[in-house]
Amino acid sequence: MAAHDIQKDELLSPEQFKKELKEISLVNGTIFSDENFPAASKSKVRIRENSILVNEMMEKMPDVLPDDRLILHAGRNGVDITTEVISRERGNIGDIIRVISDQRKIFSAKIIDKYNVLLIE
């Protein structure tokens, strides 16, 4: 349950919530379980004080943002060819996004981590 009002797009932390015994049978959405509070998440909507937290109220912060500089990896059979690219959209690890090279060519790439992407053929 929210300890105070939380604005849209505000970073979430466990300190912003309190535990209380409440009736949840009429709550719309998937009730958030407190075993593993997501490290980098923000609110999708304004959360009012004393509201029960549901998963649909929050979203994970993207690992890659538009205009981030990334390393594009390509190659096979132990050969790794790399080049620097710029992301065109936001995404999380495992997502496929569009990137653009210095030669203005657009590629599809799968996000490996915050700094590396893999060329999708």
Side-chain angles (χ1 to χ4, degrees):
M1 177 178 303
H4 55 82
D5 285 350
I6 300 169
Q7 300 304 315
K8 181 181 178 187
D9 293 328
E10 189 175 332
L11 289 176
L12 298 177
S13 68
E15 293 78 33
Q16 294 171 312
F17 299 93
K18 57 186 175 183
K19 293 182 183 181
E20 280 189 19
L21 191 58
K22 287 282 189 182
E23 173 61 40
I24 60 169
S25 62
L26 299 176
V27 174
N28 291 332
T30 309
I31 304 298
F32 176 75
S33 92
D34 64 345
E35 287 95 33
N36 48 355
F37 199 87
S41 61
K42 66 179 183 174
S43 60
K44 279 188 188 177
V45 295
R46 182 171 182 243
I47 302 172
R48 296 191 184 273
E49 184 176 359
N50 296 324
S51 294
I52 296 173
L53 182 64
V54 294
N55 290 333
E56 290 79 11
M57 290 180 177
M58 53 198 230
E59 66 184 345
K60 185 179 176 191
M61 296 290 291
D63 294 315
V64 174
L65 296 171
D67 297 323
D68 279 355
R69 293 190 85 58
L70 306 167
I71 303 296
L72 177 71
H73 295 269
R76 295 184 190 178
N77 301 328
V79 177
D80 185 27
I81 301 167
T82 62
T83 187
E84 196 169 283
V85 293
I86 299 173
S87 67
R88 302 280 286 178
E89 49 196 354
R90 63 177 35 190
N92 290 314
I93 294 173
D95 291 348
I96 296 176
I97 61 169
R98 291 177 298 137
V99 295
I100 188 167
S101 69
D102 291 339
Q103 295 80 25
R104 310 309 278 168
K105 291 190 178 187
I106 297 176
F107 301 101
S108 291
K110 182 176 182 179
I111 300 173
I112 300 171
D113 60 30
K114 190 172 181 154
Y115 307 104
N116 297 288
V117 292
L118 181 64
L119 179 67
I120 301 296
E121 297 179 39

